[in-house]
């Protein structure tokens, strides 16, 4: 029954896309975020629906969509350069078979980041992609939030509809993504036009924000707690009443502690001492190994080259027995540990050159979004009042994601390339509007001077 529902849902959207090609972008976003093929029993999981949706999206744009306002930015060029470098490191990878497996989905995520700004030609399309990203992620977030509220969750225990915890179904990843979406959700609750922000929309958005905040609790992901702290700091930074909301946030955090599961508070305490937790200890050891590796291999080792790592580290734990409680240190040897950091993932797999391209791409997006926010921050007209808050929401979500990715290997996730596409699409859309307005002003000035017929 579930398989039939997914097929009917995708089929209806696909047919609607024949009349409205942009809806195929929504289908692609849904498939890459929700991964319905992983929720299917036998029908969808035997078909490459992600590749089909990608081909349909690009094909519809080439054949049907209007391309007169399409612009190609330098950031899209950086993505193509990153893609080419990833292709090169895949050909020369330390583990060719494993690298090819990862390449099969990474290239599509990067190409989508290049393509999407070309179709984001209007405010409606920009808002629609942002809305679909929120709604698609909410299918996982609402499920996890409800289970957390009812059962409390637990590290490696909270079931997010699938047994395989890769992609957005992994606890740390969905916690990071959920918190990074909160600024966009709040923007939709105030400035959205597809669903006008009445009391029902606002209530749903606020409840969804609560579900997002519950994800780090249910998954017990320390990354999520860090993201929540960053979100609070960013929101407080932009607040006009810092000395009012700051103490209120602190009071709310203290009031929430007694209601948190004991396992959650115990796991969060390991942030202070990484040696007290095996997961944190191995991350630091892998990062040190990566730094040594790129010194000898500046070009990187290709996707999944972490499989060759081997290291020894000290871990400590508290032991309670007849002699009382004491701290024991033990020497641990581990092999083939993943990077658990987007930064070290890029550095180890793509070397210094690939890391520089990736970092420059994110830095330029941040700078351009900040420029948009500052340029439009005092605009209160009906056609421009939404721009500065939207730029701020994208910027805050981007910052939260990038800080969260310090502790999770999510450098190539399709979600972040969609967020980058939103920022690029917003920038190119506003640039076109400014140039069109300047041209109209110039034409009117020439007409008044007699240079053109009035």
């Amino acid at each position: 029954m579930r398989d039939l529902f997914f097929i009917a849902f995708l089929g209806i959207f696909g047919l609607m896309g024949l009349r409205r090609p942009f809806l195929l972008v929504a289908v692609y976003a849904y498939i890459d975020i929700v991964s319905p093929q992983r929720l299917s029993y036998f029908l969808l999981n035997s078909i490459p629906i992600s590749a089909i949706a990608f081909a349909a999206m690009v094909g519809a744009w080439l054949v049907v969509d209007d391309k007169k306002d399409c612009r190609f930015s330098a950031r899209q060029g950086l993505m193509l350069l990153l893609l080419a470098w990833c292709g090169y490191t895949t050909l020369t990878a330390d583990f060719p078979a494993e690298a090819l497996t990862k390449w099969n989905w990474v290239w599509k995520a990067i190409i989508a980041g290049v393509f999407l700004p070309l179709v984001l030609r209007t405010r409606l399309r920009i808002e629609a992609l942002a809305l679909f990203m929120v709604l698609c992620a909410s299918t996982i977030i609402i499920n996890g939030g409800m289970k957390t509220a009812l059962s409390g969750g637990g590290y490696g225990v909270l079931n997010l509809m699938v047994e395989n915890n890769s992609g957005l179904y992994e606890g740390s990843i969905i916690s990071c993504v959920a918190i990074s979406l909160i600024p966009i959700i709040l923007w939709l609750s105030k400035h959205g036009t597809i669903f006008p922000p009445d009391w029902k929309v606002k209530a749903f958005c606020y409840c969804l924000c609560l579900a997002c905040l519950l994800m780090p609790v249910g998954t017990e992901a320390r990354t999520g707690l860090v993201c929540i702290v960053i979100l609070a700091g960013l929101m407080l930074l932009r607040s006009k009443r810092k000395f009012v909301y700051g103490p209120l946030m602190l009071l709310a955090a203290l009031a929430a502690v007694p209601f948190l599961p004991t396992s959650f508070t115990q796991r969060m305490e390991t942030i202070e001492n990484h040696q007290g937790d095996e997961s944190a200890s191995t991350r630091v050891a892998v990062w040190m190994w990566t730094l040594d590796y790129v010194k000898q291999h500046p070009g990187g080792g290709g996707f999944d080259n972490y499989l060759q790592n081997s290291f020894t580290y000290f871990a400590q734990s508290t032991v309670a027995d007849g002699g009382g409680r004491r701290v024991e240190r033990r020497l641990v040897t581990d092999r083939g540990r993943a990077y658990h950091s987007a930064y070290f993932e890029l550095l180890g797999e793509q070397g210094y050159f690939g890391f520089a391209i990736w970092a420059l791409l994110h830095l330029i997006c941040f700078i351009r979004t900040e420029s948009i926010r500052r340029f439009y921050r005092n605009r209160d007209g009906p056609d421009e009042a939404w721009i500065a808050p939207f730029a701020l929401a994208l910027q805050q979500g981007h910052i939260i994601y990038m800080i969260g990715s310090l502790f999770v290997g999510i450098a190539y996730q399709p979600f972040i390339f969609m967020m980058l596409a939103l920022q690029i699409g917003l920038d190119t859309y506003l640039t076109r509007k400014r140039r069109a307005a300047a041209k109209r002003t110039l034409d009117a000035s020439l007409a008044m001077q007699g240079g053109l017929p009035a």
Side-chain angles (χ1 to χ4, degrees):
M1 191 67 180
R2 180 190 292 181
D3 291 42
L4 295 177
F5 170 79
F6 282 132
I7 291 175
F9 176 78
L10 294 173
I12 291 172
F13 257 86
L15 291 174
M16 293 171 63
L18 297 177
R19 188 175 180 85
R20 294 286 187 271
F22 185 77
L23 290 177
L24 296 175
V25 174
V27 173
Y28 167 78
Y30 173 77
I31 291 175
D32 261 29
I33 293 176
V34 180
S35 299
Q37 66 271 27
R38 295 170 59 191
L39 300 173
S40 172
Y41 289 109
F42 63 92
L43 291 178
L44 292 181
N45 55 22
S46 60
I47 304 172
I49 59 172
S50 180
I52 294 172
F54 178 81
M57 174 180 69
V58 176
W61 174 77
L62 289 172
V63 175
V64 181
D65 205 15
D66 188 357
K67 292 173 274 293
K68 67 178 181 180
D69 291 331
C70 295
R71 297 291 185 275
F72 196 84
S73 72
R75 281 166 285 177
Q76 290 163 284
L78 283 176
M79 287 189 197
L80 288 177
L81 184 59
L82 177 62
L83 177 67
W85 183 254
C86 288
Y88 167 74
T89 58
T90 300
L91 293 174
T92 59
D94 295 340
F95 296 88
E98 291 79 359
L100 187 60
T101 299
K102 188 170 181 178
W103 164 260
N104 287 335
W105 64 266
V106 169
W107 77 265
K108 183 166 59 63
I110 299 176
I111 284 292
V114 176
F115 169 77
L116 286 174
L118 300 177
V119 300
L120 299 179
R121 299 183 293 103
T122 65
R123 173 188 175 176
L124 178 61
R125 290 188 172 193
I126 293 170
E127 181 185 335
L129 179 58
L131 176 64
F132 262 88
M133 288 172 64
V134 168
L135 292 179
C136 292
S138 70
T139 62
I140 306 173
I141 295 168
I142 292 174
N143 176 277
M146 292 179 64
K147 289 180 178 178
T148 300
L150 295 174
S151 66
Y155 182 66
V157 174
L158 187 67
N159 187 300
L160 297 174
M161 299 189 289
V162 297
E163 296 296 333
N164 183 355
N165 66 341
S166 61
L168 291 192
Y169 292 96
E170 197 277 328
S172 295
I173 297 177
I174 190 59
S175 296
C176 176
V177 167
I179 303 304
S180 69
L181 279 174
I182 289 179
I184 300 177
I185 296 171
L186 294 176
W187 179 85
L188 289 168
S189 72
K190 187 175 181 180
H191 298 280
T193 58
I194 298 176
F195 293 103
D198 57 13
W199 69 269
K200 297 185 290 294
V201 170
K202 290 181 181 291
F204 175 81
C205 288
Y206 296 151
C207 290
L208 182 55
C209 287
L210 176 60
C212 290
L213 292 171
L214 286 175
M215 288 308 302
V217 178
T219 60
E220 294 186 0
R222 290 164 296 197
T223 302
L225 179 61
V226 173
C227 291
I228 290 176
V229 173
I230 299 302
L231 172 66
L234 291 173
M235 296 182 72
L236 195 60
L237 181 66
R238 299 299 180 188
S239 174
K240 296 180 180 179
R241 299 179 179 178
K242 298 180 178 62
F243 296 103
V244 175
Y245 292 124
L248 287 177
M249 285 182 178
L250 181 59
L251 182 62
L254 293 174
V257 171
F259 299 96
L260 297 174
T262 304
S263 58
F264 173 81
T265 54
Q266 290 176 345
R267 182 164 172 78
M268 296 307 111
E269 288 173 358
T270 61
I271 294 177
E272 299 179 6
N273 178 18
H274 71 273
Q275 291 182 330
D277 180 78
E278 182 177 350
S279 175
S281 299
T282 53
R283 293 186 188 196
V284 175
V286 169
W287 298 345
M288 295 300 103
W289 175 88
T290 306
L291 294 176
D292 292 335
Y293 178 86
V294 292
K295 289 178 182 177
Q296 302 176 23
H297 306 83
F303 295 128
D304 287 350
N305 73 316
Y306 69 85
L307 293 171
Q308 63 191 296
N309 65 38
S310 177
F311 46 84
T312 302
Y313 64 94
F314 282 100
Q316 66 182 40
S317 58
T318 302
V319 178
D321 52 22
R325 294 173 61 89
R326 66 183 186 278
V327 176
E328 286 189 352
R329 298 188 72 198
R330 65 187 189 281
L331 194 63
V332 179
T333 300
D334 211 338
R335 294 180 176 83
R337 280 282 183 171
Y339 290 109
H340 291 292
S341 170
Y343 297 83
F344 287 95
E345 180 184 16
L346 251 297
L347 186 61
E349 293 181 348
Q350 310 305 330
Y352 294 118
F353 183 67
F355 179 83
I357 299 171
W358 179 78
L360 183 61
L361 170 64
H362 287 282
L363 180 61
I364 294 175
C365 278
F366 175 81
I367 293 173
R368 289 299 304 161
T369 308
E370 175 64 13
S371 298
I372 293 171
R373 186 195 69 81
R374 294 191 178 196
F375 187 82
Y376 289 94
R377 60 185 170 185
N378 295 321
R379 309 291 181 92
D380 53 4
D383 295 330
E384 295 182 333
W386 64 278
I387 298 174
F390 187 59
L392 179 60
L394 291 176
Q395 183 189 86
Q396 290 178 337
H398 190 186
I399 292 172
I400 292 168
Y401 187 96
M402 295 307 293
I403 292 179
S405 66
L406 281 166
F407 314 103
V408 193
I410 49 178
Y412 312 100
Q413 279 291 324
F415 178 86
I416 187 58
F417 285 103
M418 291 182 196
M419 185 172 283
L420 293 177
L422 278 175
Q423 296 180 50
I424 297 170
L426 176 66
D427 195 358
T428 54
Y429 164 69
L430 295 176
T431 300
R432 288 195 304 269
K433 284 191 63 176
R434 289 195 298 269
R435 289 176 178 173
K439 185 178 183 302
R440 287 194 299 269
T441 301
L442 178 61
D443 290 346
S445 176
L446 292 174
M448 290 178 63
Q449 296 173 14
L452 290 174

